[in-house]
Amino acid sequence: MSEENQSFVKMEREESANFFDIVKLTKERANEKKNEEFSTKINRKETVRLGKHTKFNETTNAFIFKRSQGDEIGLALQFAIIHLTELFKKNKSSKDDLLLFQDFQKTKKVYFPAAGSENTPKHTLSDFKFKAQSPKGFQYFRNALGISDEDYISTIAKDKLKVMGNPAKSGALMWTTSDNQYVFKTVSKAQSKFLKQMLLGYYMTLHQHPNTFLTKFYGLYTLRMRKRSIRIVVMRNFFPHGIELTHKFDLKGSTISREAGEKEKQKSQPTYRDLDFNEIFKSLYLEPQYYSEIENSIKFDSTVLDAYNIFDYSLLLGVVKPKDQGIIKDLQRKMSRENFQNMVFQGGIPAKDKDGAQCYLYIGIVDMLQEYDLAHKLQYVWKAVKHGPHNLHKVSVQPPGKYKHRFDSYMLNNIFQPKKIEEKTPELEERIPAKNWQKAISLAIKNGKDLN
Amino acid sequence: MSEENQSFVKMEREESANFFDIVKLTKERANEKKNEEFSTKINRKETVRLGKHTKFNETTNAFIFKRSQGDEIGLALQFAIIHLTELFKKNKSSKDDLLLFQDFQKTKKVYFPAAGSENTPKHTLSDFKFKAQSPKGFQYFRNALGISDEDYISTIAKDKLKVMGNPAKSGALMWTTSDNQYVFKTVSKAQSKFLKQMLLGYYMTLHQHPNTFLTKFYGLYTLRMRKRSIRIVVMRNFFPHGIELTHKFDLKGSTISREAGEKEKQKSQPTYRDLDFNEIFKSLYLEPQYYSEIENSIKFDSTVLDAYNIFDYSLLLGVVKPKDQGIIKDLQRKMSRENFQNMVFQGGIPAKDKDGAQCYLYIGIVDMLQEYDLAHKLQYVWKAVKHGPHNLHKVSVQPPGKYKHRFDSYMLNNIFQPKKIEEKTPELEERIPAKNWQKAISLAIKNGKDLN
């Protein structure tokens, strides 16, 4: 960790750190950077094009998204999100606990001139405008997912956002928080609009099935900088913090060209695909209770996506296969199995590979906001909400759902398989609660590595 | 109870009674009535007009709504609701547990010719068509409110629906189930449409505030009979079954002409109004915990109604003031206070009048679907759902909310008032659970009456 960032961490640890401390620190750090550093005069010969709006400057080693540097976008995001969330929290009255469906369509806008204004602090970035889409809706979602405003701010403020050296295939630019808990990703105008329209359905999904594997959306923002609009979605990173994945897969249930390329395989953490999974694992075997939970969640989630006419989504699967299986076995015996939800979302779902080795799985369904045919999807959602009998027959027409069926079938027959329980877990006096389980695995893996 | 109806009650008691038994019994009973009985040739001299579509035939003592007799409408409703709910339950797959927001706009239609058809049984009423609006949505609401499909059907099938001799001021025709648990009420096309559009918001309300006093909607149906569409909403009756109310009030927080007329006062169970309340009770005093629960619910509910631009709603208040206060005092000491929700919805909220006499309160907010300015309300909801930045400013414009503020203030300062707890309830070994509390009061009141 660089010295300039240590002050952030310190601040975060102080319980009394309030908004103005955070603003001050953000400002101080921003001051350390000279404004010129974010100069984005682009010498075409020095830049590589990575996407429609994304470039990489080989001389300065900087990512550029629509005229602005990745680092500056990241700082502006931190600055504005912290400012807004705090303001929102402060002005919250008890009546505001009530979320109305109209709230999903609302926005909160703030202008942040570099010189500061009556309501906004000074900063050394370029002037920018900031818009939070449906702030109340996302606040509700975060709270429902166990994240308080304090958690949200402190995770984002912890340290500088890391621009990911590996932008998404879509050409989007991505950032993560320093602890890898949150992922920031640029989205198109159509995607942003689509997400906003999906929020009501998302609300219903979270209520009816809290174990959902669907992407956890924490915020949707528009940054207006250098006369260009940069739309950003904040999501939960499905993968664990502090545990290195043994394998990472992007699975669709299709075998056509679903193989990681040579270039991808040379990366330190390649994203493998369906055909690679077949070679590496063939199948993962779960105890019936876990298999059944995964089955329910996958079927539920794909039904929701199908209802929104969404397809081409992926199951993101992280596998941790500890080298020292003995330590894991010990730990597992002590583990509390009471709360499946905690296990799925915090500790990883236990499974075995074909040789009987213990693994832990981290699962998420991603790519819900794809560009392909988005106009059609928007139209579909729109019609579904629209009243009037002349539209009802259109609403009743269900999308074919072929993608869903292939997806369900492949995941639940090929990727995951139920296995019989070989031995009953002995009842021990002291069991490790699921919340500490991740920590325990992490330690076990480290120890295991040291021993090898 | 008439003999012809006893078979219904018997059927309801048999656990194994299935759909076909119910249909058979409905059919048998329908057969007993001669089709001519429902003849609706109207001699103008014999009828009194009670509303736009409602008439009363003084010779046959029958209510007529849009060409059909009240009794026949009631039988058709029972027949069709039972048929549809059973069918719906049978065809339900596990996947159907998922409620999507598109489901709120769906309908299920069935044609019931008197001669029967492949899918529908024979009956002796006029041919009719039946449409269930958002069957999945209402099923979800009923289940969320603790009513299974079996409960719903058996309550409706219990006995003949009672046409209420006292139709609503709106001119609507009303029915109740024999046990007074459910109220059926005709609604206009605009009201039906408005309710359908409100369902999403209603879903959010039930989730966020299960203690809501808002009308509990159980179903919305359209009966097409004699070429006229009869739209019916099914609601929960807020008032207790088996306990006679001492007083019934319709309160709005306005004092202008808010007084029961002489004709109303002569009824066996008059509906009093704001000015009458002031004379009879002045205020009702609640222990702080109950006052605070009522305060929360009223503020929450009026905020929801305000957000939908709904005003002119009423607080329906039923007061039970047992004559024998000693018995009640005894009972109260034994009562479990653990579950407020049960108390409110089943046992009545305890309160005292200005003389310290113990009362029990039953509260509901009604008239959410009023005709007045409904076009404007529809437009408002419509805009709120509508996407696109050019509409956002319209959405953000909040209705003035004057009605809400007057309503809140009047209810929470005049009607209900907090009082200090005089004595601590002693801890007794055995306390009556809230669910049996209503029964206990009922017995106590009856005993009290016998003693006087």
Side-chain angles (χ1 to χ4, degrees):
Chain A
M1 192 185 301
S2 67
E3 264 191 325
E4 66 165 296
N5 292 326
Q6 280 183 359
S7 58
F8 258 68
V9 178
K10 210 193 295 161
M11 176 280 303
E12 195 255 329
R13 278 187 197 133
E14 283 167 27
E15 283 190 0
S16 63
N18 67 14
F19 171 56
F20 295 101
D21 293 333
I22 297 169
V23 167
K24 212 176 120 211
L25 284 159
T26 316
K27 209 161 63 182
E28 274 168 14
R29 206 182 55 194
N31 271 323
E32 284 165 27
K33 303 250 171 194
K34 287 189 191 75
N35 216 343
E36 297 92 78
E37 200 187 313
F38 295 123
S39 155
T40 49
K41 279 174 194 156
I42 297 162
N43 183 335
R44 290 196 180 272
K45 281 181 190 163
E46 289 168 353
T47 60
V48 182
R49 193 188 145 97
L50 298 170
K52 199 177 167 192
H53 303 293
T54 318
K55 294 186 180 70
F56 182 67
N57 187 322
E58 290 183 326
T59 312
T60 59
N61 250 346
F63 287 93
I64 293 144
F65 187 85
K66 290 188 179 180
R67 298 184 191 165
S68 292
Q69 275 198 21
D71 277 350
E72 190 180 20
I73 295 173
L75 281 171
L77 282 173
Q78 289 182 297
F79 193 70
I81 291 173
I82 294 164
H83 183 86
L84 242 81
T85 311
E86 275 288 343
L87 269 187
F88 201 73
K89 211 178 77 187
K90 267 190 191 169
N91 297 329
K92 198 180 158 183
S93 74
S94 67
K95 165 194 135 169
D96 287 336
D97 285 337
L98 170 57
L99 180 73
L100 296 165
F101 82 83
Q102 289 91 332
D103 291 324
F104 288 128
Q105 287 301 315
K106 287 183 183 159
T107 53
K108 173 78 189 161
K109 291 176 205 174
V110 183
Y111 177 45
F112 290 95
S117 71
E118 207 180 322
N119 302 310
T120 63
K122 230 171 99 173
H123 60 84
T124 59
L125 309 171
S126 300
D127 294 357
F128 66 93
K129 283 179 192 159
F130 192 72
K131 185 158 72 176
Q133 309 274 9
S134 185
K136 243 180 121 170
F138 283 105
Q139 185 191 41
Y140 187 93
F141 293 141
R142 291 194 305 265
N143 295 351
L145 295 164
I147 296 171
S148 68
D149 288 343
E150 285 78 8
D151 295 340
Y152 189 60
I153 291 177
S154 75
T155 302
I156 287 176
K158 206 169 275 177
D159 204 337
K160 199 179 144 184
L161 298 184
K162 294 184 289 185
V163 183
M164 280 174 76
N166 176 25
K169 215 173 46 175
S170 61
L173 193 55
M174 290 168 83
W175 297 256
T176 62
T177 50
S178 60
D179 60 3
N180 267 320
Q181 280 202 65
Y182 300 170
V183 177
F184 291 67
K185 188 178 177 182
T186 60
V187 288
S188 69
K189 191 174 178 179
Q191 287 174 320
S192 162
K193 205 170 159 185
F194 184 57
L195 176 57
K196 226 171 143 183
Q197 281 207 301
M198 267 190 55
L199 292 180
L200 255 170
Y202 191 66
Y203 174 92
M204 292 180 71
T205 303
L206 274 188
H207 265 298
Q208 293 178 70
H209 197 72
N211 279 349
T212 177
F213 289 137
L214 295 183
T215 306
K216 307 296 178 298
F217 295 107
Y218 288 166
L220 179 63
Y221 307 101
T222 304
L223 196 67
R224 179 101 187 151
M225 208 176 212
R226 297 195 173 84
K227 295 183 183 170
R228 304 290 296 272
S229 291
I230 301 166
R231 296 174 187 84
I232 308 265
V233 65
V234 186
M235 303 170 285
R236 178 177 180 274
N237 187 358
F238 292 109
F239 294 142
H241 337 305
I243 302 183
E244 204 182 307
L245 297 176
T246 317
H247 290 96
K248 193 168 107 189
F249 298 95
D250 177 301
L251 304 168
K252 278 184 195 288
S254 156
T255 45
I256 301 157
S257 312
R258 295 289 301 160
E259 196 172 2
E262 278 316 309
K263 203 177 157 190
E264 181 70 32
K265 281 181 183 167
Q266 278 159 19
K267 287 182 183 168
S268 66
Q269 178 73 275
T271 302
Y272 292 107
R273 298 186 176 193
D274 303 58
L275 287 173
D276 308 310
F277 181 89
N278 209 22
E279 250 177 52
I280 299 170
F281 281 109
K282 209 167 168 4
S283 277
L284 288 161
Y285 299 87
L286 293 110
E287 285 182 29
Q289 62 184 113
Y290 301 141
Y291 179 83
S292 150
E293 293 271 5
I294 288 183
E295 188 181 20
N296 284 345
S297 291
I298 286 181
K299 282 185 176 172
F300 188 99
D301 292 341
S302 63
T303 304
V304 171
L305 295 171
D306 187 36
Y308 280 95
N309 211 16
I310 299 169
F311 44 94
D312 225 29
Y313 44 85
S314 297
L315 186 120
L316 216 57
L317 171 67
V319 183
V320 174
K321 185 172 155 185
K323 283 187 185 165
D324 189 326
Q325 291 277 326
I327 293 175
I328 288 299
K329 219 162 186 176
D330 263 6
L331 268 174
Q332 204 181 2
R333 279 206 198 90
K334 290 183 198 160
M335 194 179 86
S336 151
R337 294 176 187 223
E338 278 159 42
N339 192 333
F340 179 77
Q341 204 179 340
N342 268 351
M343 198 183 299
V344 175
F345 292 131
Q346 315 225 13
I349 305 166
K352 290 199 171 169
D353 71 5
K354 60 181 185 297
D355 306 320
Q358 186 64 52
C359 305
Y360 296 92
L361 313 182
Y362 299 86
I363 302 173
I365 292 177
V366 295
D367 287 345
M368 289 165 56
L369 307 174
Q370 286 177 108
E371 284 289 3
Y372 179 73
D373 206 19
L374 204 53
H376 176 57
K377 285 172 199 166
L378 274 169
Q379 204 187 11
Y380 181 79
V381 175
W382 181 222
K383 271 180 198 150
V385 175
K386 206 164 178 173
H387 65 286
H390 55 291
N391 278 305
L392 282 174
H393 68 283
K394 294 178 195 162
V395 176
S396 332
V397 175
Q398 289 297 320
K402 274 186 192 167
Y403 190 87
K404 169 201 162 36
H405 289 298
R406 193 185 62 181
F407 185 86
D408 286 2
S409 157
Y410 189 74
M411 297 309 156
L412 299 170
N413 297 321
N414 293 49
I415 304 294
F416 306 114
Q417 290 196 28
K419 72 166 187 69
K420 282 180 188 166
I421 307 165
E422 289 152 21
E423 45 181 328
K424 287 224 169 177
T425 315
E427 289 300 326
L428 291 184
E429 286 141 46
E430 208 186 342
R431 287 180 162 250
I432 300 168
K435 278 198 174 177
N436 298 326
W437 179 228
Q438 189 171 305
K439 213 171 202 171
I441 301 179
S442 176
L443 283 171
I445 294 166
K446 277 183 192 153
N447 291 342
K449 274 189 181 161
D450 291 342
L451 292 172
N452 286 339
Chain B
M1 188 185 303
S2 68
E3 262 192 327
E4 66 163 297
N5 292 327
Q6 280 184 358
S7 59
F8 257 68
V9 178
K10 211 192 295 163
M11 177 281 301
E12 195 254 329
R13 278 187 198 133
E14 283 167 27
E15 283 192 3
S16 62
N18 67 15
F19 172 57
F20 294 102
D21 294 330
I22 297 169
V23 168
K24 212 176 123 212
L25 285 160
T26 317
K27 209 162 60 182
E28 274 168 15
R29 206 181 57 195
N31 270 322
E32 286 165 27
K33 303 248 171 196
K34 287 191 191 75
N35 215 343
E36 296 91 79
E37 199 186 315
F38 295 123
S39 155
T40 49
K41 278 175 197 159
I42 297 163
N43 183 336
R44 289 193 182 273
K45 282 180 191 164
E46 291 167 351
T47 60
V48 182
R49 195 186 144 99
L50 298 170
K52 198 177 167 191
H53 303 292
T54 316
K55 294 185 179 70
F56 182 67
N57 186 323
E58 290 183 326
T59 311
T60 58
N61 251 345
F63 286 93
I64 294 146
F65 187 84
K66 289 189 180 179
R67 297 183 191 167
S68 292
Q69 276 199 21
D71 276 351
E72 190 181 20
I73 296 172
L75 280 172
L77 282 173
Q78 289 183 298
F79 195 69
I81 291 173
I82 294 164
H83 184 86
L84 241 81
T85 312
E86 275 288 343
L87 269 187
F88 201 73
K89 211 178 76 186
K90 267 192 191 168
N91 297 330
K92 198 179 158 185
S93 73
S94 68
K95 162 193 135 170
D96 286 336
D97 285 337
L98 170 57
L99 180 73
L100 297 164
F101 82 84
Q102 290 91 332
D103 291 324
F104 289 127
Q105 287 302 314
K106 286 184 185 161
T107 54
K108 173 79 188 162
K109 290 175 205 173
V110 182
Y111 177 46
F112 290 95
S117 71
E118 205 180 324
N119 301 311
T120 63
K122 230 170 100 173
H123 61 81
T124 58
L125 310 170
S126 300
D127 294 356
F128 66 92
K129 283 179 192 158
F130 192 74
K131 187 157 71 176
Q133 308 275 8
S134 185
K136 242 179 121 169
F138 283 106
Q139 185 190 43
Y140 187 94
F141 292 141
R142 291 194 305 264
N143 295 350
L145 295 163
I147 295 170
S148 67
D149 288 342
E150 284 77 9
D151 296 340
Y152 189 59
I153 291 179
S154 74
T155 302
I156 287 177
K158 206 170 276 175
D159 206 337
K160 200 178 145 184
L161 298 185
K162 294 184 288 184
V163 183
M164 281 174 77
N166 177 27
K169 215 174 44 176
S170 61
L173 192 55
M174 289 168 83
W175 296 256
T176 62
T177 50
S178 59
D179 60 2
N180 267 320
Q181 281 202 64
Y182 301 170
V183 177
F184 292 66
K185 188 179 177 182
T186 59
V187 288
S188 70
K189 192 175 178 179
Q191 286 174 320
S192 163
K193 205 169 158 186
F194 184 57
L195 176 56
K196 225 171 144 182
Q197 281 208 300
M198 268 189 56
L199 293 181
L200 256 168
Y202 190 66
Y203 174 93
M204 292 179 71
T205 303
L206 275 189
H207 264 298
Q208 292 177 72
H209 197 69
N211 279 351
T212 176
F213 289 136
L214 294 183
T215 306
K216 307 297 179 297
F217 294 108
Y218 288 167
L220 180 62
Y221 306 101
T222 304
L223 195 67
R224 180 100 185 149
M225 210 176 210
R226 296 195 174 85
K227 295 185 183 168
R228 303 291 295 273
S229 291
I230 300 165
R231 295 173 187 85
I232 308 267
V233 66
V234 185
M235 303 171 283
R236 178 177 180 276
N237 187 357
F238 292 111
F239 293 142
H241 336 304
I243 302 182
E244 205 182 307
L245 297 176
T246 317
H247 288 97
K248 193 169 106 188
F249 299 95
D250 176 301
L251 305 167
K252 279 183 194 289
S254 156
T255 46
I256 300 156
S257 311
R258 295 289 301 160
E259 196 172 2
E262 278 315 310
K263 202 179 157 190
E264 181 71 31
K265 280 181 185 166
Q266 278 160 18
K267 286 184 186 168
S268 67
Q269 178 74 273
T271 301
Y272 292 106
R273 297 185 176 196
D274 303 58
L275 288 173
D276 308 309
F277 182 89
N278 210 22
E279 253 177 51
I280 300 171
F281 282 109
K282 210 167 168 4
S283 277
L284 288 161
Y285 299 87
L286 293 111
E287 286 183 29
Q289 63 183 112
Y290 301 141
Y291 179 82
S292 150
E293 293 272 6
I294 287 183
E295 187 181 21
N296 284 344
S297 291
I298 285 181
K299 282 187 176 170
F300 188 99
D301 292 340
S302 64
T303 305
V304 171
L305 294 171
D306 187 36
Y308 281 94
N309 209 17
I310 298 170
F311 44 94
D312 224 30
Y313 43 86
S314 296
L315 186 118
L316 215 56
L317 171 67
V319 184
V320 174
K321 187 172 155 185
K323 283 186 183 164
D324 189 327
Q325 291 278 323
I327 292 175
I328 288 299
K329 220 165 185 174
D330 263 7
L331 268 174
Q332 204 179 1
R333 278 207 199 91
K334 289 183 197 158
M335 195 179 84
S336 152
R337 291 173 189 227
E338 278 159 44
N339 192 335
F340 179 78
Q341 202 179 338
N342 268 352
M343 199 182 299
V344 175
F345 293 130
Q346 314 225 12
I349 305 166
K352 291 198 171 167
D353 70 7
K354 58 183 185 299
D355 306 319
Q358 185 65 53
C359 305
Y360 296 92
L361 313 182
Y362 299 87
I363 301 173
I365 292 177
V366 295
D367 286 344
M368 291 165 55
L369 307 174
Q370 284 175 111
E371 284 290 1
Y372 179 73
D373 207 20
L374 204 54
H376 177 57
K377 284 173 199 164
L378 272 170
Q379 204 188 9
Y380 180 78
V381 176
W382 180 221
K383 271 179 198 150
V385 176
K386 206 163 177 174
H387 66 287
H390 55 290
N391 278 307
L392 281 174
H393 68 283
K394 295 178 195 163
V395 176
S396 334
V397 174
Q398 288 298 319
K402 273 186 194 169
Y403 190 86
K404 169 199 161 39
H405 289 298
R406 193 186 60 181
F407 185 87
D408 286 2
S409 159
Y410 189 74
M411 298 308 156
L412 299 170
N413 296 321
N414 294 49
I415 304 292
F416 306 114
Q417 289 197 29
K419 72 168 188 67
K420 281 181 190 166
I421 307 166
E422 288 150 23
E423 45 180 328
K424 287 225 168 177
T425 314
E427 289 300 325
L428 291 183
E429 286 142 45
E430 208 187 341
R431 287 182 160 248
I432 300 167
K435 278 199 174 176
N436 298 326
W437 180 227
Q438 189 170 305
K439 214 172 200 169
I441 301 179
S442 175
L443 282 171
I445 294 165
K446 277 184 191 153
N447 291 340
K449 274 191 180 161
D450 291 341
L451 292 172
N452 286 338

